């Protein structure tokens, strides 16, 4: 956490990749700076680039200038979730930013200085995508300066009781209800023949 190198966290959906990214940020030298996240799978290429790099006024009718996440995140951390879904053209632009300390907004001509740490996550096998030619090898190695796989919850069964209790109490607090708690039977290990659907 105290380093500055990018961290890549591969893992299946729902294992807490963003929670872990926030944990790294909170314990880093950048903890007082912003933590900004973007889901690369949720936005089409042009929208993702505007979100990351910002946009200049007049690029399209009625468009006003606005900074992107990389500019707004200066002094902090930017988390690229589902980075394996990023388009090839966007991969090249992100690589350029990782290799330098500035960017160009969409439609911009002047460089904008930035200072962010990159954290990334994916549910895809980026190494296989590199071999298949669908993800840039140079970007992969830049993002995976430190790679830390998060195993699925089915491989971390000992965490289930704590998580169940946390979610249970959170929902009770939201609804204003009271309960004596979870029973031992409810928290019992279902055994190896039952797959946890969590």
């Amino acid at each position: 956490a105290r380093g500055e190198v990018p961290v890549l966290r591969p893992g299946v959906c729902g294992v807490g990749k963003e929670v872990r990214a926030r944990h790294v940020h909170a314990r880093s030298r950048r903890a007082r700076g912003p933590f900004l996240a973007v889901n690369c799978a949720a936005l089409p290429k042009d929208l993702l680039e505007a979100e990351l790099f910002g946009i200049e006024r007049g690029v399209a009718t009625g468009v006003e200038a606005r900074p992107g996440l990389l500019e707004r995140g200066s002094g902090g951390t930017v988390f690229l979730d589902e980075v394996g879904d990023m388009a090839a053209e966007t991969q090249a632009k992100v690589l350029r930013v990782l290799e330098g300390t500035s960017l160009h907004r969409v439609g911009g001509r002047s460089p904008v200085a930035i200072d962010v740490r990159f954290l990334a996550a994916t549910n895809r096998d980026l190494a296989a995508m590199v071999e298949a030619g669908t993800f840039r090898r140079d970007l992969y190695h830049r993002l995976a300066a430190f790679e830390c796989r998060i195993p699925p919850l089915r491989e971390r069964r000992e965490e289930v009781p704590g998580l169940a209790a946390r979610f249970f109490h959170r929902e009770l607090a939201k609804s204003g209800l009271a309960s004596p708690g979870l029973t031992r039977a409810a928290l019992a290990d279902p055994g190896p023949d039952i797959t946890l659907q969590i």
Side-chain angles (χ1 to χ4, degrees), residues 67-127:
L69 256 67
L70 299 175
E71 198 174 333
R72 296 193 324 264
S74 215
T77 304
V78 170
F79 175 56
L80 303 175
D81 196 13
E82 302 306 347
V83 72
D85 291 285
M86 190 181 286
E89 299 90 343
T90 310
Q91 290 177 34
K93 292 174 182 177
V94 169
L95 176 65
R96 196 173 308 125
V97 172
L98 273 161
E99 291 175 336
T101 56
S102 65
L103 58 80
H104 285 83
R105 289 181 179 177
V106 174
R109 296 184 179 181
S110 303
V112 176
I114 60 158
D115 172 29
V116 297
R117 182 184 189 185
F118 283 88
L119 303 179
T122 183
N123 65 359
R124 294 176 177 256
D125 183 345
L126 288 191

Side-chain angles (χ1 to χ4, degrees), residues 4-8 118 139-148:
E4 285 291 310
V5 297
V7 177
L8 176 66
F118 283 88
L139 179 58
Y140 171 69
H141 288 297
R142 285 281 186 173
L143 289 174
F146 183 79
E147 187 169 340
C148 182

